[in-house]
Amino acid sequence: MQVPQDGEDLAGQPWYHGLLSRQKAEALLQQDGDFLVRASGSRGGHPVISCRWRGSALHFEVFRVALRPRPGRPTALFQLEDEQFPSMPALVRSYVTGRRPLSQATGAVVSRPVTWQRPLRRSFSEDTLMDGPARTEPLRARKWSNSQPADLAHMGQSSEDPTGIEAFATPVSALPRTGSDPVLLKAPAPLGTVANSLRASDGQLQAKAPAKPPRTPSFELPDASERPPTYCELVPRVPCVQGTSLSQSCPEPEAPWWEAEEDEEEENRCFTRPQAEISFCPPDTPSCLLGPQNRPLEPQVLHTLRGLFLEHHPGSTALHLLLVDCQATGLLGVTRVQRDNMGVSSGLELLTLPHGCRLRLELLERHETLALAGALAVLGCSGPLEERAAALRGLVELALALRPGAAGDLPGLAAVMGALLMPQVRGEQGVEEAGVRVTGKTGEEACAGLFSQVSRLEHTWRQLRRSHTEAALAFEQELKPLMRALDEGVGPCDPGEVALPHVAPTVRLLEGEEVAGPLDESCERLLRTLHGARHMARDAPKFRKVAAQRLRGFRPNPELREALTTGFLRRLLWGSRGAGAPRAERFEKFQRVLGVLSQRLEPDS
C-alpha cells in the first residue's frame, strides 16, 4: 500500500483509516457531515476523502503533486480542486474548520470525523469479526486449564460444561463498534460466581485485570448551541451507562468566552466613575512553545512556528489574529469586574478616555511587535530566493484575509502592512509609507536609523512579481491604497464589513504624536481622526456583535493562538530576560538585528 508522505504522521490522525474499501467506508458514514480519509486499494493507495452529504455517500480522490526537494518547502502538495496544501492534515483542517465545500459541483461540507480505533487484543477467532448478517449463535468456548489463573469472566466454568460461556454469549451484531475496527467487549460474570470460584486448588490467587476500554469511543455529545460541530469541536464519544440519560452522564460543553451573549443591562450601561486602569493582556501562563527561560530567536521555536503557519490557511490565521486582537483591544472577553473598574463596557471606549493610557501603550506595543515579527518572517529566510518570495506572498495573502469584508481585523491588517512596508523589507518605495506607520518617538528614531537600508530585498520583490504575480498586483493595487486611506481616516470603518476598527491613528494622536504633513492637511487629518474616534466609541456594541458573529463556531488552535499574543512575541524576539527591558531599548536593538539580516540576504552592491 502506498502511504502518502506529507511530512506529518498521517497514520496517527484519528480520521485516517488506512486501507479501507469503499463499501466498508460507506457503512461507517451515518449522518450528513460524517467523513473519513482512507487509502484506496483500487487507486494504488492514494488518499480518498469519503463523506456523507444529503443522504448519499461521496468519495473524493486527493491529488498528490510531488515537488523537487528544496529547503524550506514540503516534498509534496495535496489538492482537491484548486487550492494546494503542504500536507494532508493541513488540507483536512482547512476544509473542516472553514466549512468549505469539497467540490463546487456537489457542495459537500464535512464537519464530523469518523475516528479510527486501534484494535484491542482479542482472545477470539477472527471468524467472529466478519461483517455480515446478525449472528445469534454463541461464541465458541475455549478450553481453560485448571492449572492456570482464569479470567474473571470464565471462573468456575468446567471445560466439559460449556454452558457457562453460552450463558454469556452475545450476538455479534449487538457488540458496539467504534471506527473501522470492531471491538468485542466481554460481559462481566456475576460477583457471586466469581466469589464461589476462587479456590486455592485452582491457583486463582489474583484475578486478571479486565481489558481496557477503547481510548476514543464513538458516541457524540449534543452541542448546546445546535451548531454543526467543526474539526476543533470534536468531543470524545463515550457510551452512556444503562439506565441513565446522556445529559445526566455527559454534561454539555460550555460555549467559549468569545461567543457569550452580552447582557442588555451591560450593553446599555452608562459611564461610571473609573476605579483603576485596566490591562487586557492575558496573565502569564506556562507556554506550550517556549520554555520558562528562552533566548532571543531560538532556531527550534522559529522552525516550529514556520510549520505551524504553513499548516493553516490564511483565512484561518486571520481568524486567530482577529480573536487575539479582540481580546487585546477589550472588545470581547471583558469581565464584569473589568467593566466596573474602567467605567465603560469595552476597550474601544476606554482608549479614548484619559485613564486609558495603559491600554493605548499596550496597543502601540502590540502593533510594533507584530510588524517586527512579520518582517522577521521574511528576513529570517536564509534559503533560496524563492523561499523569501513565498514568505512575502504569505504575508500578502494574510493581509487580504484581514481586510474589510473578510475577517475585518484592521489592527491586524495594519501590523501586516507595516511589516511589508518596513524599509528593510520594502526598500526605497517603503521608506515614506513606513514613516507613516512607525509610532511615537521610538518609531521616528527607528525609521531614521533604518533609512540607510533603502535598497533592501529588491531581488525578492522582483521574484514575487515573476512567480506570484497575482499577489504582487493585489499588494500594489488594493492593499497599499487601502492602508493609506485608513491612515488618513477616509477608509472603510462601518460595522459589518469591519469587525475591529483601525485604532492606531487615534492611539498615536492621544499619546502625543504630531500629525505629519503640511499644516492644512494635518489639521484635516486631525479632525477626521477625532471624528472617527467618537464614532468608534459610539459603535462599540455593534463592532462587538460583528466580531462575535465572525468568530461564531470558530475553534482556534491553541499553539497558533498563543503565537499571536503580544507576550509570546515579546519573549520570542527579545528572550525571557530582554522582554522586561525598556520599550525604546528593545526596539532599537531589534531594528539593528533586522538591518544585519537584510544586509546578509542582499548585500549592497
Side-chain angles (χ1 to χ4, degrees):
M1 180 186 70
Q2 177 184 354
V3 179
Q5 300 295 325
D6 57 3
E8 295 190 41
D9 184 13
L10 186 59
Q13 301 296 330
W15 34 257
Y16 183 66
H17 290 242
L19 188 62
L20 189 68
S21 66
R22 175 190 291 254
Q23 292 75 17
K24 290 185 178 181
E26 293 178 355
L28 297 174
L29 304 171
Q30 303 296 328
Q31 304 176 21
D32 282 357
D34 286 357
F35 79 98
L36 57 86
V37 179
R38 59 187 178 89
S40 174
S42 61
R43 298 275 183 178
H46 284 202
V48 173
I49 299 179
S50 300
C51 69
R52 186 166 294 277
W53 181 250
R54 295 181 179 176
S56 301
L58 305 176
H59 306 271
F60 300 90
E61 182 180 2
V62 180
F63 298 98
R64 182 175 184 270
V65 181
L67 302 177
R68 288 184 179 180
R70 287 186 180 179
R73 76 174 188 180
T75 59
L77 296 176
F78 297 80
Q79 70 178 88
L80 285 175
E81 286 191 340
D82 299 324
E83 188 175 358
Q84 296 179 332
F85 298 85
S87 68
M88 189 67 196
L91 181 147
V92 172
R93 275 191 289 269
S94 176
Y95 279 90
V96 175
T97 58
R99 299 194 57 78
R100 303 161 55 199
L102 298 180
S103 71
Q104 298 299 326
T106 62
V109 176
V110 294
S111 59
R112 190 182 302 104
V114 177
T115 56
W116 173 76
Q117 303 302 318
R118 290 170 173 78
L120 299 178
R121 293 186 178 181
R122 312 175 182 86
S123 59
F124 295 94
S125 169
E126 290 295 327
D127 299 338
T128 64
L129 304 181
M130 295 174 57
D131 292 332
R135 300 171 59 182
T136 57
E137 58 267 27
L139 303 175
R140 289 188 300 170
R142 293 185 60 180
K143 294 184 179 181
W144 300 89
S145 172
N146 289 337
S147 62
Q148 299 292 336
D151 190 11
L152 287 175
H154 303 282
M155 288 182 180
Q157 297 169 0
S158 171
S159 59
E160 293 81 18
D161 184 13
T163 57
I165 296 180
E166 295 182 27
F168 300 109
T170 306
V172 174
S173 60
L175 296 175
R177 292 171 58 91
T178 60
S180 60
D181 288 321
V183 178
L184 293 179
L185 302 178
K186 297 180 181 179
L191 293 179
T193 307
V194 175
N196 296 334
S197 63
L198 291 175
R199 300 187 303 274
S201 60
D202 290 339
Q204 298 167 348
L205 300 180
Q206 183 176 0
K208 184 179 178 181
K212 292 183 179 180
R215 294 184 63 182
T216 312
S218 297
F219 291 92
E220 185 183 8
L221 299 177
D223 190 357
S225 60
E226 298 183 358
R227 298 187 310 274
T230 61
Y231 179 79
C232 299
E233 289 180 303
L234 293 180
V235 181
R237 302 179 175 185
V238 293
C240 296
V241 181
Q242 186 176 2
T244 62
S245 65
L246 186 62
S247 60
Q248 293 175 345
S249 59
C250 307
E252 295 181 353
E254 297 182 359
W257 54 264
W258 57 88
E259 293 182 0
E261 294 292 337
E262 188 75 19
D263 297 337
E264 281 187 23
E265 185 177 334
E266 293 292 339
E267 189 172 330
N268 299 325
R269 64 180 293 171
C270 299
F271 175 78
T272 58
R273 184 180 181 85
Q275 304 297 324
E277 288 196 355
I278 295 299
S279 171
F280 297 109
C281 290
D284 292 335
T285 56
S287 172
C288 58
L289 296 172
L290 294 172
Q293 300 292 328
N294 70 288
R295 306 178 72 177
L297 306 179
E298 291 186 351
Q300 184 62 34
V301 179
L302 294 176
H303 178 74
T304 302
L305 290 176
R306 178 176 176 80
L308 192 63
F309 281 97
L310 285 175
E311 288 178 5
H312 288 78
H313 187 268
S316 174
T317 305
L319 289 180
H320 282 81
L321 189 55
L322 173 63
L323 175 62
V324 179
D325 282 337
C326 285
Q327 186 178 15
T329 313
L331 186 65
L332 296 177
V334 182
T335 64
R336 183 182 295 271
V337 175
Q338 290 174 324
R339 293 193 189 98
D340 294 338
N341 286 335
M342 64 184 180
V344 289
S345 59
S346 77
L348 292 182
E349 301 167 83
L350 176 63
L351 63 84
T352 63
L353 300 175
H355 60 284
C357 177
R358 181 177 180 180
L359 174 60
R360 291 193 292 269
L361 292 178
E362 289 177 353
L363 293 178
L364 285 177
E365 168 103 3
R366 174 164 180 77
H367 172 79
E368 296 173 0
T369 305
L370 274 173
L372 291 177
L376 178 66
V378 179
L379 298 173
C381 296
S382 58
L385 185 63
E386 177 60 33
E387 182 181 348
R388 294 198 299 276
L392 280 178
R393 185 202 62 180
L395 288 179
V396 172
E397 291 178 346
L398 178 57
L400 291 172
L402 291 166
R403 72 187 190 275
D409 180 10
L410 300 191
L413 172 64
V416 175
M417 290 299 294
L420 290 170
L421 296 170
M422 195 166 288
Q424 298 98 322
V425 177
R426 183 61 180 150
E428 294 181 355
Q429 300 179 17
V431 173
E432 181 181 353
E433 291 135 340
V436 176
R437 286 165 182 78
V438 179
T439 61
K441 182 179 180 182
T442 303
E444 293 174 1
E445 296 174 352
C447 203
L450 293 172
F451 283 170
S452 59
Q453 312 291 338
V454 295
S455 59
R456 299 295 89 224
L457 305 188
E458 290 298 330
H459 298 293
T460 305
W461 284 96
R462 197 175 298 117
Q463 180 66 27
L464 176 72
R465 299 185 189 99
R466 283 198 300 260
S467 302
H468 312 287
T469 308
E470 186 176 351
L473 290 176
F475 174 74
E476 296 289 343
Q477 299 178 4
E478 181 177 356
L479 292 176
K480 284 177 60 179
L482 171 64
M483 200 65 242
R484 188 179 300 110
L486 290 173
D487 282 335
E488 294 176 355
V490 295
C493 58
D494 296 331
E497 59 178 346
V498 174
L500 190 59
H502 187 35
V503 300
T506 301
V507 170
R508 295 170 188 155
L509 180 63
L510 295 179
E511 284 304 304
E513 180 180 343
E514 296 183 0
V515 180
L519 183 60
D520 54 346
E521 295 181 5
S522 61
C523 288
E524 291 180 2
R525 184 181 297 179
L526 173 64
L527 292 176
R528 287 195 300 266
T529 301
L530 293 176
H531 182 71
R534 184 165 54 251
H535 281 270
M536 178 178 63
R538 183 197 64 188
D539 295 336
K542 297 180 181 179
F543 286 116
R544 183 188 302 114
K545 290 181 179 179
V546 173
Q549 185 178 5
R550 290 278 204 283
L551 296 169
R552 189 176 303 279
F554 174 63
R555 295 299 178 267
N557 180 292
E559 293 182 346
L560 182 56
R561 178 183 169 188
E562 179 193 350
L564 294 172
T565 59
T566 309
F568 174 86
L569 293 174
R570 191 164 52 230
R571 286 187 57 191
L572 174 69
L573 300 183
W574 292 286
S576 54
R577 292 185 179 181
R583 176 167 164 260
E585 179 183 337
R586 285 189 286 110
F587 279 90
E588 181 182 358
K589 180 179 179 180
F590 201 80
Q591 287 147 9
R592 291 199 300 266
V593 172
L594 292 182
V596 171
L597 292 176
S598 183
Q599 286 285 347
R600 285 184 179 179
L601 291 178
E602 295 186 17
D604 289 333
S605 54

